[in-house]
Amino acid sequence: MLSSRPDICAAVNLLSRFQSGATDEHWNHLKRVLRYLQGTIEYDLVYKRNSNAEPLIGFADADWGSDLDDRKSTSGSVFQVFGNTVLWTSRKQPTVSLSSTEAEYISLSQAACDAIWLRNILAEFGIKNIAPITVHEDNQSCIHIATEPRDQKRMKHLDIRYNFIRECIQNEDLKVVYIPTQKQLADTFTKCLPAGPFKEHRATLGLRGGVVKQTSPCY
């Protein structure tokens, strides 16, 4: 999953929480993932040259209170370089969010850290002046809080580290752009999706089946 199968990232994140206390129910869910992998064993994460695409874009999303045991939310994010998927994450948030907006805000702040890190990596490869980095978010309230921090008394309880996103926006390192939920690529990293949206996002991530591999001639 870490190398070439972002489509099972959310499933691996969920199942890994029960490694020390797995039951037959977890085993049945795991077998479904293995059957899916067997049916898509020919799928590859394809990288193509696309100089017209943005050098670096990201998507951030969250599923509010998805863990029924402790009601913590799940953050999901994905980043693409020139249209090619290079970094994806699905992680359980360390704190309980009091609203979906708060869960989205925490996810967005975590994604901002990844965006800055990726920008520094690209700079070492000679791709510089990537500012601001576009990060897509599907929660309007979250975007408003991040871009207009004044008079947000209800968000004072948030940890200081999650307000990192505000500084990034003020310094014009990041630009948060609204995107409809149907086109939110990070949605597939927060929860299980119906077959239709899942396949659409899988294709957008760059996973292709039956790709003809080119091999170098032997000398």
Side-chain angles (χ1 to χ4, degrees), residues 42 82 93 103 105 113 116 127 132-133 141 152 169 171 182 196:
E42 78 284 358
F82 292 107
Q93 294 183 359
Y105 189 73
C113 298
I116 299 300
I127 305 174
I133 305 168
S141 298
Q152 300 295 340
I169 294 174
N171 295 336
Q182 296 79 4

Side-chain angles (χ1 to χ4, degrees), residues 169-194:
I169 294 174
Q170 292 172 0
N171 295 336
E172 297 185 351
D173 292 323
L174 261 69
K175 177 178 65 175
V176 183
V177 178
Y178 173 76
I179 189 173
T181 302
Q182 296 79 4
K183 297 182 179 180
Q184 175 56 276
L185 191 57
D187 198 26
T188 189
F189 297 96
T190 63
K191 56 182 175 294
C192 298
L193 297 176

Side-chain angles (χ1 to χ4, degrees), residues 37-202:
L37 289 174
Q38 185 180 32
T40 58
I41 196 171
E42 78 284 358
Y43 274 59
D44 294 297
L45 191 58
V46 180
Y47 293 91
K48 295 182 179 180
R49 179 178 296 179
N50 186 1
S51 57
N52 296 324
E54 290 189 56
L56 178 60
I57 62 171
F59 300 81
D61 196 21
D63 188 29
W64 181 39
S66 55
D67 195 312
L68 299 180
D69 294 326
D70 55 18
R71 307 307 296 184
K72 291 183 179 179
S73 305
T74 299
S75 297
S77 63
V78 56
F79 287 89
Q80 295 183 326
V81 174
F82 292 107
N84 299 293
T85 302
V86 298
L87 178 66
W88 55 89
T89 58
S90 177
R91 66 186 72 164
K92 185 177 178 181
Q93 294 183 359
T95 59
V96 177
S97 300
L98 300 180
S99 66
S100 59
T101 298
E102 186 177 320
E104 296 275 1
Y105 189 73
I106 293 174
S107 176
L108 186 61
S109 298
Q110 293 172 338
C113 298
D114 292 334
I116 299 300
W117 177 77
L118 274 175
R119 186 186 65 178
N120 294 337
I121 293 293
L122 291 175
E124 295 183 6
F125 286 99
I127 305 174
K128 301 180 180 180
N129 301 321
I130 304 177
I133 305 168
T134 300
V135 178
H136 296 281
E137 169 63 48
D138 63 359
N139 187 292
Q140 294 276 24
S141 298
C142 174
I143 296 175
H144 176 73
I145 292 171
T147 56
E148 298 290 340
R150 295 173 296 180
D151 300 327
Q152 300 295 340
K153 296 180 180 179
R154 291 181 297 178
M155 306 298 288
K156 280 187 174 181
H157 62 281
L158 277 179
D159 196 297
I160 294 175
R161 66 178 180 272
Y162 297 129
N163 289 317
F164 171 70
I165 182 67
R166 294 178 178 175
E167 182 178 338
C168 292
I169 294 174
Q170 292 172 0
N171 295 336
E172 297 185 351
D173 292 323
L174 261 69
K175 177 178 65 175
V176 183
V177 178
Y178 173 76
I179 189 173
T181 302
Q182 296 79 4
K183 297 182 179 180
Q184 175 56 276
L185 191 57
D187 198 26
T188 189
F189 297 96
T190 63
K191 56 182 175 294
C192 298
L193 297 176
F198 174 79
K199 291 179 180 179
E200 182 179 347
H201 289 327
R202 184 178 64 186

